[in-house]
Amino acid sequence: MSVKIHDVLIIGAGPAGLAVAAHLRESTPSSVFTDAEHDRYQWIKKHSGRMNLRPRQRDTERDATTSLEQDEMDIQVLDSSGSNWMVSWNKNFAALGISHLRSPMFFHPCPRDRDGLLAFAHETGRCGDCVEIANCVGKSMSKHRRKKRVTKRQSIGSSTKAVLEIDERDRKDYFTPSSDIFREYCDSVLRRYSLENLVERTRVTSIDFDQFDEVDLDNDDNPGAKVFKVMTVNGVAKFAKIVVLAIGAGGSPVMPRHLSAAEAEGACHSTQLQKQTFLARSVREKILARKPTAIVVVGGGLTAAQIADKCVRDGVGRVFMIMRSGVKLKPFDIDLDWMTKYKNVQKAAFWSADSDEERLEIMLEARNGGSITPRFFKKLRAHIASGALSIHTETTIKDQVWHNERKTWRIETGPSTPNIPGEVDYVYYATGVQPDVPTLPFLSPLREKVPTEVVGGMPCLTNDLAWKDDVPLFVAGRLAGLRIGPDCGNLEGARIGAERISWAVNEWLERHRKTHSNNDASYDTLCRRVGLVNMYESLEFRTFNGAAHKTYDRSQYSTSGLYYEDIGIAMATATATTTRHSPYSSLHSSYHQNAHKSEIAGQDAYGNEHPRANYGSNTASKYVKLLTFPLPAAPW
């Protein structure tokens, strides 16, 4: 029996899944280049015809195959929400009437251009629909004023954390796009990479990884190899060499109490809004009859604020927001120092953590619970002034009783809030979703065969975001937080995860593909993928610890150079060096002295664990390139 085996099966058609699919179809993912890398890349393109590089004999057949390789990758996407991309995302935005995203312009799933969304807004003449994110740019102040502010903070016992400043030249980045612009931009990404018809609507019930004897799996690339068997709710089996899990938090909604079937008529979690009308039937009838209505919103994040605003706009008489902590105002879901140029310091601390438990603590501290944007809080202030909304901080619900006859709640809070009426018509829980891999039933077959440690509900993945080194189940989005960082749940985290996964997927397929089994073809493919063909055409093979590697001819270049690590451990010199996990990594690198100390430890030039470092015995089989450049010119 002949069975179709997909190269990649992506579970989840949201932003994280879209980012992975786009990266797999993109040959030059320049959106993750740094500014210096962009300059170097543009210089190579401009002077490619005059570069003094050693010519190599071209292999027309291989070059043609390489250029088509990304398009030939067989990708299938499964999603339970619909047969199109971003269905759940768009439904959530429509249900709450969200007009603008929270993220800045450079957060998007397209791998081709970091400023692609900004360029799209200019191209379509809709820059006016983008709204500036306040309190991010334009906060430049004199040294005297800065010192005065720090002194004032010290006098009142506040944090002495330095005030972050974003350069005025970056102002264009700190606008937020409208939901319509972002949706249309994602549609353009789908058309660019021919991703429109890849999504199939179905729900996954189990994932297994093995050699399946009951079916003759004719894996042309690697006969007898293990593959994934993904069962769907309708009993159809899907087979794939690689599976990417992009399902968001992947856990159950956090509910303060379990709701019975009768109580579910008067309450819901925010994740259920896309499956029902926003206001319950009983509430709509009261509004039409001009009767008093009251609704309670539990939660202190942006979703809770959006629900409260939607209730007021839809005609609810009184809305009460109840939150355990105080109101926290932040432009983004994580602290600003994880967003700006200073994020490298934070990420270096995150990656150098001694354990995943420590990383979890860093994540929780960076997110610090739910928060509301200053711009949206202005809307809530207007509702508070009109008397339609009241916010109760440091308050919890002690008891709530559902009266099925009257279809209302009796709610008791602690501390007591007298202005909440005795009858509440509906309760919305905007209390988030907690990652919890052990509760995902479709992963049970895999977890039984290949168990992995779980911290904070998230799996302890490899640095390539794989389940195990020999199990190519890759995880994107929030479930990959222990390897990506606190931004794992937003669009930036989706893009960073997609970049790592796409590289690992191509490595895996190259390693298991007969037609490209030789090192030269495999390595040439990786080099072409980043658009740096001219620079790498001068590389030649040499042997290092029994493995094939490529190196520049030192006689053509300055002897003062740097070692550059691509997929293996850090190899460093005793002079100015830098270590990066790819030439287009989101983690900026800088020259550092005496980096040779990290050679054995598998660390970068800062002494931190490298995101793609491999400390196993097979590190000699990894590709390591030695690049030399005349200093002081920047290497990228």
Side-chain angles (χ1 to χ4, degrees):
M1 179 179 177
S2 179
V3 176
K4 181 178 179 60
I5 305 177
H6 300 284
D7 287 331
V8 181
L9 186 66
I10 301 175
I11 303 175
L18 175 58
V20 171
H23 274 75
L24 291 175
R25 288 285 176 87
E26 174 57 58
S27 58
T28 56
S30 61
S31 67
V32 288
F33 283 9
T34 65
D35 291 340
E37 290 160 357
H38 270 290
D39 293 341
R40 178 70 182 177
Y41 178 68
Q42 295 300 327
W43 186 89
I44 292 173
K45 288 182 63 178
K46 180 178 179 181
H47 301 282
S48 58
R50 299 189 295 272
M51 292 181 69
N52 185 23
L53 295 177
R54 176 180 298 178
R56 69 171 176 85
Q57 184 177 357
R58 297 183 61 85
D59 188 335
T60 306
E61 181 179 355
R62 190 182 70 187
D63 291 345
T65 303
T66 302
S67 63
L68 296 175
E69 180 183 356
Q70 302 300 323
D71 293 334
E72 290 177 351
M73 186 180 295
D74 184 3
I75 302 174
Q76 175 72 54
V77 184
L78 305 180
D79 190 88
S80 61
S81 302
S83 56
N84 295 311
W85 291 94
M86 307 283 286
V87 171
S88 180
W89 172 284
N90 292 330
K91 284 184 177 179
N92 284 330
F93 271 65
L96 296 178
I98 301 174
S99 62
H100 287 77
L101 276 67
R102 187 175 192 173
S103 54
M105 298 297 290
F106 55 93
F107 280 19
H108 56 77
C110 182
R112 176 166 294 187
D113 185 4
R114 176 186 182 275
D115 298 322
L117 181 55
L118 179 64
F120 182 81
H122 280 281
E123 181 183 356
T124 57
R126 301 170 66 180
C127 291
D129 294 342
C130 302
V131 178
E132 184 176 3
I133 304 174
N135 300 318
C136 287
V137 186
K139 294 299 178 181
S140 179
M141 62 184 68
S142 65
K143 293 182 180 179
H144 173 74
R145 289 184 59 192
R146 188 182 301 111
K147 183 177 180 180
K148 185 177 180 181
R149 172 178 292 189
V150 172
T151 303
K152 182 178 180 180
R153 289 186 176 186
Q154 292 175 341
S155 64
I156 61 177
S158 301
S159 172
T160 58
K161 193 175 184 179
V163 179
L164 288 174
E165 294 183 23
I166 299 177
D167 197 287
E168 186 69 26
R169 293 171 295 181
D170 296 329
R171 177 180 290 274
K172 66 182 187 329
D173 292 334
Y174 288 88
F175 282 74
T176 181
S178 67
S179 56
D180 291 337
I181 291 178
F182 185 78
R183 183 179 62 254
E184 294 174 14
Y185 179 66
C186 289
D187 291 341
S188 70
V189 173
L190 296 178
R191 293 190 297 270
R192 173 181 296 169
Y193 298 107
S194 301
L195 303 174
E196 301 98 321
N197 302 318
L198 299 183
V199 182
E200 177 183 342
R201 183 173 187 177
T202 188
R203 182 169 59 86
V204 174
T205 57
S206 70
I207 300 177
D208 198 0
F209 184 65
D210 209 336
Q211 295 177 348
F212 300 98
D213 297 332
E214 71 274 15
V215 181
D216 181 17
L217 298 178
D218 185 16
N219 189 342
D220 295 334
D221 294 337
N222 196 356
K226 292 183 178 180
V227 295
F228 285 98
K229 181 180 180 181
V230 179
M231 295 298 301
T232 61
V233 68
N234 52 8
V236 176
K238 304 280 187 180
F239 295 92
K241 303 171 188 175
I242 295 172
V243 171
V244 178
L245 202 61
I247 57 172
S252 301
V254 178
M255 295 287 288
R257 66 191 302 272
H258 175 72
L259 298 176
S260 64
E263 292 174 337
E265 297 182 32
C268 76
H269 194 269
S270 58
T271 56
Q272 300 174 268
L273 291 176
Q274 60 174 287
K275 304 176 182 178
Q276 63 185 48
T277 56
F278 180 74
L279 292 177
R281 180 179 178 181
S282 58
V283 178
R284 296 199 306 271
E285 291 175 350
K286 281 189 174 183
I287 292 176
L288 293 175
R290 298 184 180 277
K291 294 181 179 180
T293 52
I295 284 181
V296 168
V297 181
V298 181
L302 182 58
T303 301
Q306 291 166 339
I307 292 175
D309 173 65
K310 175 73 171 173
C311 289
V312 174
R313 289 188 287 112
D314 285 357
V316 177
R318 295 293 306 277
V319 180
F320 304 90
M321 286 186 65
I322 296 178
M323 58 187 70
R324 291 180 301 177
S325 61
V327 176
K328 295 187 286 289
L329 301 182
K330 294 194 300 186
F332 308 109
D333 57 341
I334 55 179
D335 290 338
L336 193 59
D337 50 358
W338 286 89
M339 305 280 293
T340 65
K341 62 183 179 181
Y342 300 99
K343 67 182 179 181
N344 295 337
V345 178
Q346 300 293 343
K347 289 194 174 184
F350 178 81
W351 282 327
S352 63
D354 295 330
S355 65
D356 286 324
E357 288 78 9
E358 185 178 347
R359 290 187 177 188
L360 179 62
E361 293 179 4
I362 295 175
M363 290 177 59
L364 296 177
E365 181 181 357
R367 298 188 67 86
N368 193 25
S371 60
I372 305 173
T373 63
R375 175 175 172 270
F376 205 92
F377 192 69
K378 290 182 179 179
K379 297 183 179 181
L380 300 186
R381 287 184 181 276
H383 297 324
I384 294 174
S386 66
L389 173 67
S390 62
I391 300 178
H392 304 275
T393 60
E394 300 180 354
T395 303
T396 59
I397 295 179
K398 295 175 59 178
D399 187 33
Q400 57 183 114
V401 179
W402 172 251
H403 299 287
N404 197 38
E405 300 80 10
R406 299 191 297 271
K407 305 295 181 185
T408 59
W409 290 94
R410 180 183 60 81
I411 294 180
E412 180 183 353
T413 63
S416 177
T417 51
N419 56 339
I420 295 182
E423 292 187 348
V424 174
D425 297 292
Y426 205 85
V427 177
Y428 292 99
Y429 294 99
T431 46
V433 179
Q434 180 66 32
D436 197 0
V437 164
T439 63
L440 298 178
F442 61 85
L443 284 179
S444 296
L446 182 66
R447 294 184 66 244
E448 291 176 1
K449 292 182 179 179
V450 191
T452 187
E453 187 179 355
V454 176
V455 174
M458 296 173 287
C460 299
L461 307 170
T462 70
N463 291 316
D464 286 329
L465 307 187
W467 191 262
K468 293 288 185 180
D469 288 329
D470 56 347
V471 181
L473 171 68
F474 296 93
V475 181
R478 191 173 172 187
L479 285 178
L482 296 177
R483 296 296 174 267
I484 295 179
D487 54 354
C488 58
N490 58 32
L491 293 172
E492 175 71 354
R495 188 173 63 185
I496 293 173
E499 185 263 338
R500 286 204 211 175
I501 291 174
S502 64
W503 261 90
V505 166
N506 279 278
E507 292 174 29
W508 181 275
L509 294 178
E510 285 291 334
R511 193 161 58 244
H512 294 78
R513 182 173 293 139
K514 277 186 174 182
T515 56
H516 298 283
S517 60
N518 65 83
N519 288 333
D520 190 26
S522 175
Y523 202 80
D524 185 70
T525 299
L526 296 179
C527 294
R528 288 177 176 278
R529 231 185 130 242
V530 299
L532 298 174
V533 181
N534 290 326
M535 172 175 260
Y536 292 101
E537 283 181 348
S538 64
L539 296 178
E540 295 180 346
F541 275 109
R542 68 181 176 91
T543 301
F544 182 79
N545 278 1
H549 301 288
K550 285 193 171 185
T551 178
Y552 272 117
D553 183 357
R554 290 187 177 221
S555 62
Q556 298 184 19
Y557 299 93
S558 169
T559 57
S560 298
L562 68 151
Y563 280 96
Y564 166 81
E565 178 270 336
D566 182 22
I567 307 169
I569 61 172
M571 306 297 295
T573 64
T575 55
T577 62
T578 180
T579 314
R580 304 171 59 85
H581 88 59
S582 71
Y584 42 84
S585 169
S586 60
L587 177 63
H588 298 182
S589 298
S590 62
Y591 288 106
H592 198 279
Q593 300 294 327
N594 298 324
H596 63 287
K597 297 178 181 179
S598 64
E599 177 178 351
I600 303 302
Q603 298 172 337
D604 64 13
Y606 298 95
N608 301 319
E609 177 189 353
H610 196 274
R612 298 178 69 92
N614 188 328
Y615 311 117
S617 59
N618 64 338
T619 52
S621 65
K622 298 292 184 178
Y623 289 111
V624 179
K625 296 188 293 294
L626 171 62
L627 308 186
T628 56
F629 301 95
L631 295 180
W636 296 107

